Amino acid sequence: IPQARSRWKALLAFQNTYKEDFRKMTEENGNSSDFSSAFNHTNTMSAILITAYSVAFAGGGIGSITMLFVLVKMNTLSVTTTAIINLVVVHSLLLFTVPFRLHYYVNKKWVFKMTLCKMVSAMVHIHMYLTFLFYVITLVIRWLIFFQWRDKVEFYRKLHAIAASAAVWVFVMVFVVPVLCFEYGRSGFYSDTTCFMFHKELQQDSVKALNYIIIVAVACITCVLLGLQIFILVKVTRKFSTSLWSHQEFWAQVKNLIFICVIIICFLPYHLFRAYYIQHISDFDQLESYNEVFLSLTALSCLDLLSFVLSGS
């Protein structure tokens, strides 16, 4: 009888161990299936995202380093130069976050903290709108000089240039970053192993309204910039029709198109698709992948510095 009891206890212990192993295996399978469904980018979409961010990282890094060497040799205190310096800074901040995105798209799993995910996700938007702002400032300054409203626009002291740049960054750090950190990703439950999928925020009416305002503003400003630049090119063409191709003013205005072309190619498609995306966000999950692809185009604006150097701007 004692031997039978010991055998029975051993059998119960074996059964309990088997049940525990089976439960763990079931949970792991469930987690893997949840993970595979959470990462909704197809292999094609992942390849596009990896390619876009890799090109932006390589070209943007080369352009930023090269532009730094160019700026070090310049002693001018112009507003344009200050805007380009800030452009190098904002590109560098984005490029610092790109490896985290590439790691996620390659491994299809977010292994870092959710706080870092929010920072990396928000940085691409901060980069886009700051780049857009510095483009507008640079174009407006150049046009003021072209219309001879000012012979030159420059800071008379380096402290003024630093103060103007600091004002922009303080505004971003005080008003933009806290909102993104504390409000970004609070409207729903998001898995710790997935990232860049904060689409549930768009279900709020206030967020929708803000997005629509930004879309309309970017589209209108882009149209105004393009129209004004075409007007200037036509005016220059009529003025120097006999020696157009050899005149420096004509090529200077053509180089201004680099800024506008970057806006049209990199920024405008994302905003136009964004309007459709907000209206049909609940129709099918694949829209999230399309939105990420259009968002990756904005990172390609980092190639602008490389184009400036290659074109001799």
Side-chain angles (χ1 to χ4, degrees), residues 128-129 211 214-215 218 267-276:
M128 174 171 49
Y129 294 115
N211 275 266
I214 294 175
I215 291 169
V218 170
F267 298 157
L268 195 57
Y270 168 75
H271 286 86
L272 295 179
F273 175 78
R274 189 76 170 176
Y276 176 84

Side-chain angles (χ1 to χ4, degrees), residues 229-247:
Q229 186 61 56
I230 292 175
F231 170 78
I232 293 175
L233 283 173
V234 172
K235 187 175 181 179
V236 172
T237 302
R238 291 178 178 178
K239 183 178 180 180
F240 307 106
S241 57
T242 56
S243 59
L244 181 64
W245 301 105
S246 60
H247 204 279

Side-chain angles (χ1 to χ4, degrees), residues 82 86 130 133-134 137 155 158-177:
T82 305
N86 283 277
L130 281 180
L133 174 63
F134 293 134
I137 292 174
F155 295 106
K158 290 185 179 180
L159 182 62
H160 295 166
I162 296 173
S165 301
V168 175
W169 288 102
V170 167
F171 176 83
V172 174
M173 296 299 297
V174 173
F175 295 99
V176 178
V177 173

Side-chain angles (χ1 to χ4, degrees), residues 240-312:
F240 307 106
S241 57
T242 56
S243 59
L244 181 64
W245 301 105
S246 60
H247 204 279
Q248 183 179 1
E249 182 62 36
F250 172 75
W251 291 110
Q253 296 302 326
V254 170
K255 289 175 181 178
N256 283 347
L257 285 174
I258 295 178
F259 295 100
I260 302 177
C261 287
V262 172
I263 293 174
I264 295 175
I265 295 173
C266 297
F267 298 157
L268 195 57
Y270 168 75
H271 286 86
L272 295 179
F273 175 78
R274 189 76 170 176
Y276 176 84
Y277 174 64
I278 294 174
Q279 294 177 350
H280 303 84
I281 188 173
S282 59
D283 289 354
F284 54 99
D285 295 335
Q286 198 62 29
L287 275 181
E288 178 66 25
S289 296
Y290 297 152
N291 182 70
E292 284 296 314
V293 170
F294 279 103
L295 187 61
S296 67
L297 291 179
T298 66
L300 295 178
S301 62
C302 292
L303 302 177
D304 57 356
L305 298 178
L306 185 61
S307 66
F308 297 157
V309 175
L310 295 178
S311 64

Side-chain angles (χ1 to χ4, degrees), residues 24-207:
K24 291 181 179 180
M25 183 178 65
T26 304
E27 289 179 353
E28 291 176 356
N29 291 334
N31 291 335
S32 62
S33 62
D34 293 340
F35 162 70
S36 61
S37 62
F39 189 88
N40 61 348
H41 301 311
T42 62
N43 293 333
T44 302
M45 291 296 179
S46 297
I48 295 174
L49 292 170
I50 293 171
T51 302
Y53 283 109
S54 297
V55 172
F57 183 74
I62 295 173
S64 298
I65 295 173
T66 307
M67 184 59 72
L68 283 176
F69 284 105
V70 174
L71 292 172
V72 167
K73 299 178 181 179
M74 298 176 65
N75 294 321
T76 180
L77 297 175
S78 67
V79 178
T80 302
T81 304
T82 305
I84 296 299
I85 293 174
N86 283 277
L87 205 57
V88 173
V89 174
V90 71
H91 285 346
S92 301
L93 291 176
L94 175 68
L95 295 177
F96 177 77
T97 64
V98 167
F100 296 101
R101 283 184 170 272
L102 292 176
H103 182 277
Y104 175 64
Y105 293 135
V106 170
N107 296 279
K108 300 181 178 181
K109 183 179 181 180
W110 185 258
V111 297
F112 308 101
K113 298 293 184 180
M114 183 54 60
T115 303
L116 182 60
C117 170
K118 294 180 180 180
M119 292 176 58
V120 174
S121 181
M123 190 60 222
V124 71
H125 297 280
I126 295 175
H127 165 266
M128 174 171 49
Y129 294 115
L130 281 180
T131 301
F132 183 80
L133 174 63
F134 293 134
Y135 282 176
V136 173
I137 292 174
T138 304
L139 288 171
V140 169
I141 296 303
R142 290 189 173 193
W143 290 339
L144 289 176
I145 298 173
F146 172 80
F147 287 111
Q148 297 181 350
W149 292 339
R150 297 291 300 271
D151 293 334
K152 57 182 179 179
V153 181
E154 65 179 15
F155 295 106
Y156 294 102
R157 294 182 180 179
K158 290 185 179 180
L159 182 62
H160 295 166
I162 296 173
S165 301
V168 175
W169 288 102
V170 167
F171 176 83
V172 174
M173 296 299 297
V174 173
F175 295 99
V176 178
V177 173
V179 173
L180 292 174
C181 291
F182 294 105
E183 299 297 331
Y184 203 47
R186 294 187 60 183
S187 297
F189 174 77
Y190 300 100
S191 174
D192 292 335
T193 59
T194 59
C195 193
F196 317 129
M197 294 178 61
F198 301 109
H199 52 278
K200 295 178 182 178
E201 308 294 322
L202 295 175
Q203 296 176 356
Q204 300 182 36
D205 293 335
S206 59
V207 177

